[in-house]
Amino acid sequence: MRKRVRSTLVAVAVAGGVIAGPAVASPAPPKLEFANPASQALFGTAYQAALDNLLRTNTIGYDAKYDKSGLLDPATGIVRAGGGYGQPWTRDASINSWNATSLLAPALAENTLWAVVDKDAGGALRVQQDDQQWDQVVWATAAWHHYLVTGDGGFLENAYRTTADTLAIREHATTAGFNAKYGLFTGASFFNDGIAGYPAPPADATESVSTGSMPWPGVASGMYLSTNEVYYAAYVNAANMAEKLGRPGAEVAGYRTRAAALKTAINQRFWNANTGLYDYQLLADGSRGAYQEGTGLAFALLFGIANPAQARSILARAQEMPWGMPDTFPNWDRYSDAQPGRHNAIVWPLVQGLWAKALAGQGNQSAFAAETTRLAKLADDNSGFWEIYNGHTGVVDGGYQRLGDTVKFHWGSEPDQTWSATAFLDMIHTGLFGLTFTDRGLAFAPDLPAGWGDVTLRNLGYRAANLTITLRGAGTKIGSFTIDGRSAPGNAIPSTLSGSHTVAITLTGAAAGDRDGDGVPDAADRCADTAGTVDGCPAPGHLEAEDAVNTGGVKTNVNHTGYSGRAFLDGLWSPGAASSFTLHRTSDAPGSAAITVRYANANSDTRTMTLSVDGRPLRQVSFPKVSDSWDAWGTTTFADVPLAGRDPVVTLSYAAGDTGSINLDWLAASPAG
């Protein structure tokens, strides 16, 4: 495995001076373009949905109630947590800025970070205080990253004051503070603010105290892997801020000393030589919990807490579910595959994103490709980025929780979850393109899997520059690196770069393999991450609807019986809803096909949808009533549907004049007789 070095940056010069280019107008949002149509349909579609989620759906206007720091710009909005959550929230604000907002919309990210900062009675800045202490601490990592992306010294001054004050508060807290006996911080884990994320003990079999985690004494006094890792990162970044600002050497050294001591304690108290992983929890009585925590393992790799041998062990032994890295694992005794806990063996895209970032940083290309593909499919299958998904089926699922009785209640999974979208954006920016921000500039360590094809990211703003970045070939080893056609040393651009520029990177050394297990090597597979028999792509003779690209609110569901595959589609209930199927053909010659659809219609009458091919509406089509039960399914066939090209896209949509309101199970295309 090649070691990926992302900390060294060599300034790029041409003819003895800093590269300059044409003046940069306000750029359009970035655009991701794959040469491979299957990759474009999978990853390009998800990327566009993620951009829309962040920059359109979840960007809201300035609100004075969030300006307790006095640092917000009234002319700039903020990023809310998601479709079901109208607030910025501290942890969400931090993660979303770190993942993507600082790069894509720096002013928006800065406002969002300040929206979760207030002042104490003496006017000192601090991350807003509540019982979720990990939220306050991760802010420091997001703030340092924001500085590295933007180079904004004024922001850094206030960010350091905020970080220093917040850490001082946490160090002296009587609840969720520092436990000198173990050398660790107490309090709930970074991600698990619900008691469903904890085994018993500290929980009990009925979750009788509270659905939240901090009211549980065993959680409040316990020590958790991810929380101590974000404290470690906060100390490291506080030292970085202090050093950059020219603070006294003793001040810088103090933070570095505390970081080093905490790293030592984490490795002493949480590393488990028997499992080859870090444990999840250490209770106040010294009992350890040898469970897996997804964010904890990701942070161990991302923050350099794990040494190289430990990192190799984590990569070899970490357990993933069919649809991605779970939050905590395995099922607690009170939960099961049929009823997964809301914070237990279930998939949150935020966790997937952190894990994928860690995989890319370790050069584990196949695992990075698999995790990124899973999240792209989850988004494409479900009209965008939801909060939580079932780890076994990929169905939108909020998981289960209970409070003091024997009946578990089933939570919803909220739509348009911002950190789910920014997790995917980070997979593309940090993982695929290998963007690495330092105080001196932007370095590249790309990770382009075989089978994905050449890819270009256009209109990417970086400080005063506008970049078009193209990756060619496959692998993690850079064969050539050019800026505007000229060879450039160091695989990096300086922070002083301005104007519009083209970065071209040729990669080699892709891992040989067959990720989808269909017998076609990735390098020759048209659909390297989806098994099939047509040059490695699914045959058009049977396409499950849950694997289509679904938009307008269409999502997977399992609340009726009789469907095939892992789920069926509902949500075709309002105008704008659509389900699109790519028909991979062996020839690009024009022809026609009969399209058969299996569907459910328990309405009192025939329903209609619009049939389109490659975005062109052909005709309205009918779906007669099948039964009075939504558990019954029927089929209907549409003859003489014209097709052209190797990968035509057939769409069923609820357009103007349609009545919709059906469920879909599968679609099949067969040559016209």
Side-chain angles (χ1 to χ4, degrees):
M1 182 184 300
R2 183 176 70 87
K3 183 177 181 181
R4 297 163 66 80
V5 179
R6 292 187 167 180
S7 59
T8 302
L9 180 66
V10 178
V12 181
V14 174
V18 174
I19 299 175
V24 181
S26 296
K31 186 174 183 181
L32 187 67
E33 300 174 350
F34 283 89
N36 182 330
S39 295
Q40 184 62 31
L42 178 60
F43 303 110
T45 300
Y47 186 81
Q48 184 59 53
L51 287 176
D52 289 344
N53 178 302
L54 173 63
L55 301 177
R56 182 178 57 82
T57 303
N58 287 316
T59 293
I60 60 177
Y62 168 85
D63 188 332
K65 71 182 178 185
Y66 296 119
D67 197 7
K68 296 177 182 178
S69 67
L71 294 171
L72 268 68
D73 177 0
T76 302
I78 59 175
V79 176
R80 66 176 184 170
Y85 309 111
Q87 310 90 337
W89 283 354
T90 307
R91 182 176 44 177
D92 300 66
S94 303
I95 291 295
N96 288 324
S97 297
W98 182 20
N99 276 348
T101 320
S102 291
L103 173 63
L104 298 176
L108 180 65
E110 181 172 342
N111 246 31
T112 303
L113 289 169
W114 292 134
V116 297
V117 170
D118 60 19
K119 294 179 179 179
D120 65 15
L125 292 170
R126 62 183 188 176
V127 181
Q128 61 189 10
Q129 302 291 297
D130 53 32
D131 68 348
Q132 299 183 164
Q133 79 290 346
W134 60 92
D135 287 3
Q136 298 151 24
V137 179
V138 76
W139 188 95
T141 293
W144 175 246
H145 176 77
H146 184 80
Y147 166 72
L148 292 179
V149 173
T150 65
D152 187 337
F155 170 85
L156 187 64
E157 288 271 4
N158 286 322
Y160 177 62
R161 291 169 51 205
T162 305
T163 297
D165 291 343
T166 300
L167 284 173
I169 291 169
R170 293 267 41 96
E171 289 168 347
H172 296 93
T174 55
T175 300
F178 187 70
N179 184 324
K181 176 181 176 181
Y182 294 104
L184 297 168
F185 283 89
T186 63
S189 81
F190 160 79
F191 192 61
N192 294 310
D193 48 7
I195 193 58
Y198 298 84
D204 59 32
T206 62
E207 299 181 355
S208 60
V209 175
S210 170
T211 58
S213 59
M214 282 300 286
W216 289 77
V219 173
S221 62
M223 290 145 284
Y224 291 87
L225 174 63
S226 58
T227 291
N228 280 278
E229 290 169 328
V230 295
Y231 271 99
Y232 167 76
Y235 280 132
V236 169
N237 291 323
N240 291 337
M241 293 178 188
E243 187 172 59
K244 181 63 184 177
L245 291 169
R247 305 290 295 185
E251 197 169 322
V252 177
Y255 287 122
R256 297 212 186 279
T257 297
R258 278 173 277 181
L262 190 52
K263 179 177 178 178
T264 297
I266 291 170
N267 279 300
Q268 286 179 343
R269 303 294 186 179
F270 289 105
W271 180 254
N272 188 326
N274 293 326
T275 64
L277 299 169
Y278 286 94
D279 288 346
Y280 170 40
Q281 71 177 15
L282 172 65
L283 298 183
D285 64 5
S287 58
R288 294 173 61 159
Y291 310 105
Q292 177 179 294
E293 182 192 18
T295 53
L297 297 184
F299 287 150
L301 300 174
L302 288 170
F303 299 151
I305 293 168
N307 65 35
Q310 289 171 318
R312 290 191 296 270
S313 181
I314 291 169
L315 295 176
R317 301 190 184 198
Q319 298 293 305
E320 296 187 53
M321 299 183 75
W323 284 95
M325 173 58 74
D327 177 3
T328 56
F329 193 80
N331 287 313
W332 313 138
D333 289 342
R334 61 195 189 273
Y335 293 113
S336 65
D337 288 348
Q339 293 186 332
R342 181 170 175 81
H343 287 279
N344 191 198
I346 202 164
V347 170
W348 292 71
L350 166 66
V351 180
Q352 288 183 287
L354 292 169
W355 181 240
K357 186 204 296 268
L359 292 170
Q362 293 293 317
N364 193 328
Q365 188 172 65
S366 293
F368 162 74
E371 198 69 32
T372 304
T373 297
R374 291 181 186 116
L375 184 49
K377 289 180 178 179
L378 289 173
D380 291 348
D381 295 351
N382 294 286
S383 298
F385 293 87
W386 292 70
E387 184 180 25
I388 320 172
Y389 301 86
N390 186 288
H392 289 285
T393 65
V395 171
V396 173
D397 185 351
Y400 289 79
Q401 210 162 7
R402 64 195 302 171
L403 178 56
D405 58 29
T406 58
V407 179
K408 300 186 182 77
F409 56 90
H410 196 186
W411 284 64
S413 176
E414 296 292 345
D416 297 320
Q417 187 76 8
T418 316
W419 64 19
S420 298
T422 62
F424 186 76
L425 293 171
D426 192 47
M427 287 174 166
I428 298 301
H429 299 151
T430 301
L432 177 58
F433 284 89
L435 305 183
T436 307
F437 301 93
T438 77
D439 194 27
R440 291 180 289 165
L442 175 60
F444 295 81
D447 194 331
L448 178 57
W452 284 16
D454 296 350
V455 58
T456 297
L457 183 62
R458 301 187 188 279
N459 299 321
L460 183 71
Y462 168 63
R463 300 197 182 187
N466 181 270
L467 304 177
T468 296
I469 308 165
T470 296
L471 306 180
R472 300 187 179 93
T476 59
K477 183 178 179 181
I478 295 178
S480 68
F481 182 94
T482 65
I483 300 177
D484 301 330
R486 301 183 184 93
S487 223
N491 304 331
I493 61 176
S495 60
T496 52
L497 187 71
S498 64
S500 296
H501 300 277
T502 298
V503 177
I505 305 172
T506 301
L507 296 159
T508 61
D514 178 13
R515 285 191 300 274
D516 56 23
D518 62 2
V520 181
D522 292 336
D525 196 336
R526 282 171 61 194
C527 303
D529 295 286
T530 305
T533 58
V534 180
D535 298 332
C537 294
H542 183 94
L543 300 173
E544 291 288 347
E546 65 268 22
D547 295 326
V549 174
N550 300 299
T551 55
V554 181
K555 66 176 180 64
T556 54
N557 210 335
V558 292
N559 66 343
H560 296 293
T561 62
Y563 58 86
S564 69
R566 59 187 173 86
F568 65 89
L569 293 181
D570 72 9
L572 288 158
W573 299 77
S574 59
S579 185
S580 297
F581 301 79
T582 299
L583 308 183
H584 299 288
R585 305 167 70 217
T586 56
S587 168
D588 60 3
S592 62
I595 303 294
T596 299
V597 178
R598 188 172 192 249
Y599 69 99
N601 177 8
N603 297 293
S604 61
D605 57 357
T606 294
R607 294 299 168 124
T608 60
M609 303 285 286
T610 293
L611 176 68
S612 302
V613 176
D614 292 331
R616 298 185 301 276
L618 293 181
R619 59 182 184 264
Q620 190 177 69
V621 292
S622 298
F623 295 84
K625 177 179 178 178
V626 175
S627 166
D628 289 327
S629 170
W630 288 101
D631 295 326
W633 301 85
T635 61
T636 187
T637 299
F638 316 125
D640 300 321
V641 177
L643 304 175
R646 297 188 75 192
D647 301 288
V649 178
V650 173
T651 300
L652 291 168
S653 62
Y654 190 154
D658 291 329
T659 54
S661 300
I662 62 172
N663 292 337
L664 292 182
D665 189 27
W666 52 253
L667 177 146
S670 57

